[in-house]
Amino acid sequence: MDANLIRFRQLSGFVIKEKPHLNKTHKFFSLNFEQTIIRNNCLNPLRRNFSALGSTSKNGFNEAAFETERLSLDSKAREEMAEKAQIEINSSNAAEKEEEDPKAWKWIIRKRVWDMMEAENIAQNPRPVHHRIPNFVGAAAAARKLSELEVFRNSDCVKVNPDSPQKQVRFLTLSGEKKLLTPQPRLRTGFFSVLESSMLSLSTMGEACTSVGVAKYGKPIGLDEKLKVDLIVIGSVAVDPKTGARLGKGEGFAELEYAMLRYMGAIDDSTPVVTSIHDQQLVDDIPVEKLLIHDVPVDIICTPTQVIFTNNSIPKPQGIYWDKLSPEKLGQIRILRELKRRIERETGQKLPSGPSEKLPATAERKRR
């Protein structure tokens, strides 16, 4: 029997689906959620957390407090990623370093693209664009091209990343009377929120496309939500137009969002993945053979000047690869911790965990 065939085992009333993918050492475990796993009111406490003293809206949501904390956490995350990137890139022997850390080459490409966008002034606020999904001149034009795609026009529900260059995509989704599914920033406070034009007025639709607006107007959902996503829009730092190979900003949240949608049964291999980028973010040096099993490729690229249908033959992730998920990342995302505990409790099996992201002792010494 083909090793890639799906094997089903019945455990504790749940169906566990186990599938070796590309490499027998990589396994994921997914769950058929026939019972409630995590209730919505436990997933997204935003309105409770930000309804204290300060400037609040009519529904008790404290916009100023939310935005202050979001900006503070984003700044901290970028500083941590910058430090991590510098450590991975810096080496007296580049070849030896690449062998030691298989992700170092990604940071080299990311830095080149970020530097170029700033140097050529095609970057837009928020700046500098380093360690972000970079906003760019012509983002609205790229969004319009995306909205003209047949897959977008025919979609009822579109998942869009929460980054600045895709803000217009979120607006066109809502104004097109489609359901917008968007994750909370870095999945810190919950999971996904759903917004629909029927929930909004013309005066609030633009605000609903921002992080504050999503928290303010969005309906939080859980992993047990019955949902079908017709199209995924994802942000990128660099994309190869020939292969569809993509690099994000390096935190792995887009991959986790994709994996959790697979858990929900909301998407499958046929669900199109689209990105909007500047033409200058197109690259030709992403080695497909060095991509990791959880990296998400793209099917369609929209730039301000063109639409590119990639010749994507890169397998899409099939679920959460727990053996690649570091303890630090798991510690940042409450819903993943809840999910892992639930699976382990229901199956009686301990899920694997990935290597730590903490700096090795040699790296710590070099910094002193």
Side-chain angles (χ1 to χ4, degrees):
M1 183 178 291
D2 187 335
N4 281 333
L5 290 177
I6 297 173
R7 300 191 299 275
F8 292 93
R9 291 183 289 131
Q10 189 74 26
L11 292 171
S12 303
F14 292 92
V15 177
I16 299 296
K17 184 170 61 176
E18 182 180 305
K19 180 180 178 183
H21 181 63
L22 296 183
N23 188 320
K24 291 183 179 179
T25 63
H26 299 149
K27 292 184 178 179
F28 71 92
F29 297 84
S30 68
L31 214 58
N32 248 348
F33 294 94
E34 296 177 0
Q35 302 178 26
T36 298
I37 287 184
I38 306 169
R39 301 310 306 167
N40 289 347
N41 61 0
C42 296
L43 285 175
N44 191 331
L46 285 174
R47 289 184 176 82
R48 293 197 303 274
N49 289 351
F50 296 100
S51 59
L53 295 175
S55 175
T56 59
S57 60
K58 291 181 180 179
N59 63 5
F61 176 71
N62 190 326
E63 300 175 31
F66 176 87
E67 187 67 356
T68 297
E69 181 174 28
R70 183 186 74 83
L71 292 173
S72 174
L73 292 172
D74 283 355
S75 177
K76 180 180 178 182
R78 286 195 302 276
E79 288 175 4
E80 291 173 351
M81 292 305 293
E83 183 178 10
K84 179 182 176 182
Q86 197 61 47
I87 290 168
E88 292 182 356
I89 291 174
N90 285 345
S91 174
S92 58
N93 187 319
E96 288 181 4
K97 182 63 179 177
E98 186 171 331
E99 183 178 345
E100 178 185 335
D101 191 331
K103 296 182 289 185
W105 64 270
K106 292 184 175 182
W107 288 111
I108 295 171
I109 296 175
R110 290 183 183 111
K111 185 175 185 305
R112 186 187 75 213
V113 172
W114 286 325
D115 287 348
M116 174 274 299
M117 294 183 74
E118 288 290 350
E120 298 190 12
N121 206 31
I122 59 175
Q124 292 276 68
N125 286 328
R127 296 176 74 171
V129 293
H130 295 75
H131 304 287
R132 305 180 193 268
I133 295 298
N135 199 6
F136 57 91
V137 173
R144 283 194 297 274
K145 287 193 177 295
L146 193 154
S147 70
E148 294 167 359
L149 294 173
E150 183 178 0
V151 291
F152 181 87
R153 295 199 308 269
N154 293 338
S155 294
D156 294 319
C157 178
V158 183
K159 182 265 180 185
V160 187
N161 58 296
D163 300 283
S164 296
Q166 282 72 44
K167 181 179 179 181
Q168 184 67 10
V169 178
R170 297 191 292 275
F171 180 80
L172 292 170
T173 299
L174 287 173
S175 61
E177 298 185 346
K178 303 177 188 298
K179 185 179 294 184
L180 171 65
L181 182 69
T182 190
Q184 276 126 37
R186 291 185 168 88
L187 299 177
R188 282 187 301 254
T189 54
F191 187 35
F192 287 94
S193 292
V194 172
L195 295 100
E196 298 183 63
S197 57
S198 59
M199 303 161 57
L200 306 164
S201 65
L202 289 176
S203 62
T204 60
M205 190 172 292
E207 183 186 5
C209 299
T210 66
S211 295
V212 170
V214 169
K216 185 176 177 181
Y217 300 110
K219 169 194 168 187
I221 66 169
L223 284 165
D224 55 332
E225 187 85 9
K226 301 301 181 185
L227 190 70
K228 181 181 182 297
V229 176
D230 302 301
L231 179 66
I232 291 178
V233 179
I234 193 169
S236 304
V237 174
V239 187
D240 188 324
K242 292 183 179 179
T243 65
R246 164 197 172 271
L247 297 182
K249 63 179 178 284
E251 290 184 297
F253 286 104
E255 287 75 16
L256 287 172
E257 293 157 10
Y258 184 94
M260 286 189 280
L261 288 174
R262 291 293 295 239
Y263 265 114
M264 296 170 67
I267 60 173
D268 56 30
D269 281 339
S270 67
T271 308
V273 179
V274 185
T275 192
S276 60
I277 59 173
H278 195 277
D279 293 85
Q280 295 288 73
Q281 292 174 257
L282 296 169
V283 301
D284 61 2
D285 58 345
I286 300 178
V288 171
E289 69 278 5
K290 291 185 179 180
L291 292 176
L292 301 178
I293 195 171
H294 56 262
D295 286 327
V296 179
V298 301
D299 302 299
I300 307 173
I301 304 168
C302 295
T303 78
T305 66
Q306 60 186 319
V307 173
I308 302 169
F309 291 83
T310 69
N311 183 28
N312 175 33
S313 60
I314 302 168
K316 292 176 179 176
Q318 302 295 299
I320 298 174
Y321 298 95
W322 296 100
D323 61 333
K324 299 298 181 186
L325 191 60
S326 71
E328 291 80 15
K329 186 67 69 180
L330 191 64
Q332 293 174 6
I333 305 174
R334 182 178 57 184
I335 192 169
L336 279 180
R337 298 194 302 274
E338 296 280 353
L339 176 58
K340 187 176 184 181
R341 285 195 293 266
R342 179 77 181 201
I343 294 175
E344 291 177 337
R345 184 169 63 248
E346 296 295 338
T347 65
Q349 294 185 355
K350 186 171 178 60
L351 292 174
S353 59
S356 174
E357 295 178 11
K358 290 182 179 178
L359 301 177
T362 53
E364 293 278 24
R365 284 196 294 270
K366 286 178 182 178
R367 290 173 56 202
R368 294 192 181 106

